[in-house]
Amino acid sequence: MEKDGSKDSMDAFARECRDRGLKVTYQRMEIFRVAVSTDEHPDAVTVHKRVKKRIPTISLDTVYRNLKLLAAHGLLAVVGTSGEHLRFDANRGPHHHFTCVRCGMIRDFTSEVLAALPLPREAQDLGVPLSQHLEVKGICVACEKKEQRKKEAPRHKRDA
Amino acid sequence: MEKDGSKDSMDAFARECRDRGLKVTYQRMEIFRVAVSTDEHPDAVTVHKRVKKRIPTISLDTVYRNLKLLAAHGLLAVVGTSGEHLRFDANRGPHHHFTCVRCGMIRDFTSEVLAALPLPREAQDLGVPLSQHLEVKGICVACEKKEQRKKEAPRHKRDA
DNA sequence: ATGGGTGCAAACAGTTTGCAGTTAC
DNA sequence: GTAACTGCAAACTGTTTGCACCCAT
């Protein structure tokens, strides 16, 4: 699926919706078209504004609902940790983040390999870089352990 | 400044405050102590809860104000894009982000060098990684141009 | 003493939810 | 026909702001 909102990609999207039991509504299609036609990572209000040009009566909450729904189905993603509360970081040195997708915990790590990494040219083409850090998403050891336990001992209903 | 809230680091912090004309209040010190004593990247409510143990009467908005103030002074940082609106990304392939610190624009880029990069061991120690992407912060070409113009032609008041 | 800082309460903005009517399947 | 979806309005939550008092400098 290219990021252009072409007929092909919209057809593919419609198919993916039906596959998941999601109805293919005009609103949903237009919301997706707008989202997929830009790489500015718009927020819900921006998407709403743009969709309104085609569907003047569409409501903001329909946009929210659809973006969230599509995100839940993996048809699009929420950028970074956006939308969560403000989180603060008193570690002022260069470091990277490991974010647990289960519990939301963010842990720092440092890496000499990464520190030595030159900034890719593709990024330099976009502007003057000031800092860079790697965002790793995954499942932290604590959550991993929890899930292991569930698998290993499903006969106990300790995790009702 | 180590991330331990030791007397030394607190003294250093007090000095940095005074250097910037910020008053060294009990509340401010405790807020910083909490922030710097953890790498969980707590949100304001969490910080508030912890500071309350020492200062039961502290208000949540004092915590907000101080965290924001300290962030503005570079004494701590706001994590990722947190706190902004929800932003959505329909680019489902692996890609990285260039975020402009001036205008907030986020642009995607891909990089074969990065794609080939093995995940550092330090991250694997924290859990099972699912995805990784580089977050580059800097000044985008548009903002860069704007600032150049200001420097080069200050005699014209085209940028009043 | 005095300007910044604090606490309170009220305002705000973005997001979510309940409901009744509508639409895709 | 029915379950999913939409639009509206009201609720909610995290964050910000105005104001009067207080405290570090």
Side-chain angles (χ1 to χ4, degrees):
Chain A
M1 195 173 320
E2 326 85 286
K3 73 161 211 273
D4 57 4
S6 69
K7 182 156 189 316
D8 268 11
S9 68
M10 293 311 292
D11 282 353
F13 173 66
R15 216 173 305 127
E16 288 206 67
C17 282
R18 268 186 273 260
D19 286 353
R20 294 156 199 274
L22 304 179
K23 289 188 178 172
V24 177
T25 63
Y26 185 26
Q27 289 88 337
R28 181 162 295 156
M29 292 296 275
E30 291 307 315
I31 288 166
F32 183 75
R33 186 199 304 284
V34 166
V36 84
S37 300
T38 176
D39 67 346
E40 299 160 35
H41 310 296
D43 58 17
V45 174
T46 304
V47 173
H48 182 228
K49 246 182 245 161
R50 296 191 189 162
V51 174
K52 255 188 173 169
K53 288 178 191 162
R54 290 213 192 194
I55 316 179
T57 60
I58 195 170
S59 69
L60 180 56
D61 40 279
T62 294
V63 173
Y64 271 113
R65 269 189 283 231
N66 274 289
L67 289 173
K68 285 273 187 161
L69 186 68
L70 298 182
H73 280 271
L75 293 166
L76 47 79
V78 175
V79 173
T81 57
S82 74
E84 295 174 11
H85 312 167
L86 282 169
R87 280 165 161 262
F88 299 89
D89 187 347
N91 180 352
R92 298 207 268 148
H95 63 280
H96 308 277
H97 288 150
F98 183 104
T99 305
C100 179
V101 296
R102 293 278 185 276
C103 66
M105 164 172 283
I106 302 176
R107 293 291 298 277
D108 295 344
F109 67 93
T110 55
S111 160
E112 293 189 14
V113 180
L114 287 174
L117 189 77
L119 189 70
R121 163 173 332 143
E122 292 90 342
Q124 302 194 32
D125 290 345
L126 295 173
V128 181
L130 297 173
S131 70
Q132 56 176 315
H133 78 275
L134 196 68
E135 286 287 343
V136 179
K137 288 187 185 178
I139 302 171
C140 73
V141 285
C143 288
E144 178 67 6
K145 228 174 252 176
K146 242 180 273 171
E147 298 191 4
Q148 281 299 328
R149 228 181 293 139
K150 268 188 206 172
K151 273 186 210 160
E152 284 170 11
R155 52 188 178 281
H156 300 122
K157 28 181 152 174
R158 64 148 69 103
D159 46 77
Chain B
M1 198 173 318
E2 326 83 285
K3 71 158 211 266
D4 56 4
S6 69
K7 181 154 190 320
D8 267 10
S9 68
M10 293 311 291
D11 282 354
F13 173 67
R15 218 173 304 128
E16 288 206 67
C17 281
R18 269 186 271 260
D19 286 352
R20 295 156 198 274
L22 304 178
K23 290 188 177 171
V24 178
T25 63
Y26 186 26
Q27 289 89 336
R28 182 162 294 157
M29 292 296 276
E30 291 307 316
I31 288 165
F32 183 75
R33 186 199 305 281
V34 166
V36 84
S37 299
T38 176
D39 68 346
E40 299 160 36
H41 310 295
D43 59 17
V45 174
T46 304
V47 173
H48 182 228
K49 245 182 249 161
R50 296 192 189 161
V51 175
K52 256 189 172 170
K53 287 178 191 162
R54 290 214 191 195
I55 316 179
T57 60
I58 194 170
S59 69
L60 179 56
D61 40 278
T62 294
V63 174
Y64 272 113
R65 270 190 281 233
N66 274 290
L67 290 173
K68 284 271 187 163
L69 186 68
L70 298 181
H73 281 271
L75 293 167
L76 48 78
V78 175
V79 173
T81 58
S82 75
E84 293 177 11
H85 311 166
L86 281 169
R87 278 166 162 262
F88 299 88
D89 187 348
N91 180 353
R92 297 207 269 148
H95 63 279
H96 310 277
H97 288 149
F98 183 104
T99 304
C100 179
V101 296
R102 293 279 186 276
C103 65
M105 164 172 283
I106 303 176
R107 294 289 298 278
D108 294 345
F109 66 94
T110 55
S111 159
E112 295 189 11
V113 180
L114 287 174
L117 189 77
L119 189 70
R121 162 173 331 144
E122 292 90 340
Q124 302 194 33
D125 291 344
L126 295 172
V128 181
L130 296 173
S131 70
Q132 56 176 314
H133 78 275
L134 195 69
E135 286 286 344
V136 180
K137 288 188 183 174
I139 302 172
C140 73
V141 285
C143 288
E144 177 66 8
K145 228 174 251 174
K146 243 179 271 172
E147 299 190 4
Q148 281 299 328
R149 227 182 294 141
K150 268 187 204 171
K151 272 187 211 159
E152 283 170 10
R155 53 190 176 281
H156 300 123
K157 26 179 151 172
R158 61 150 70 107
D159 46 76

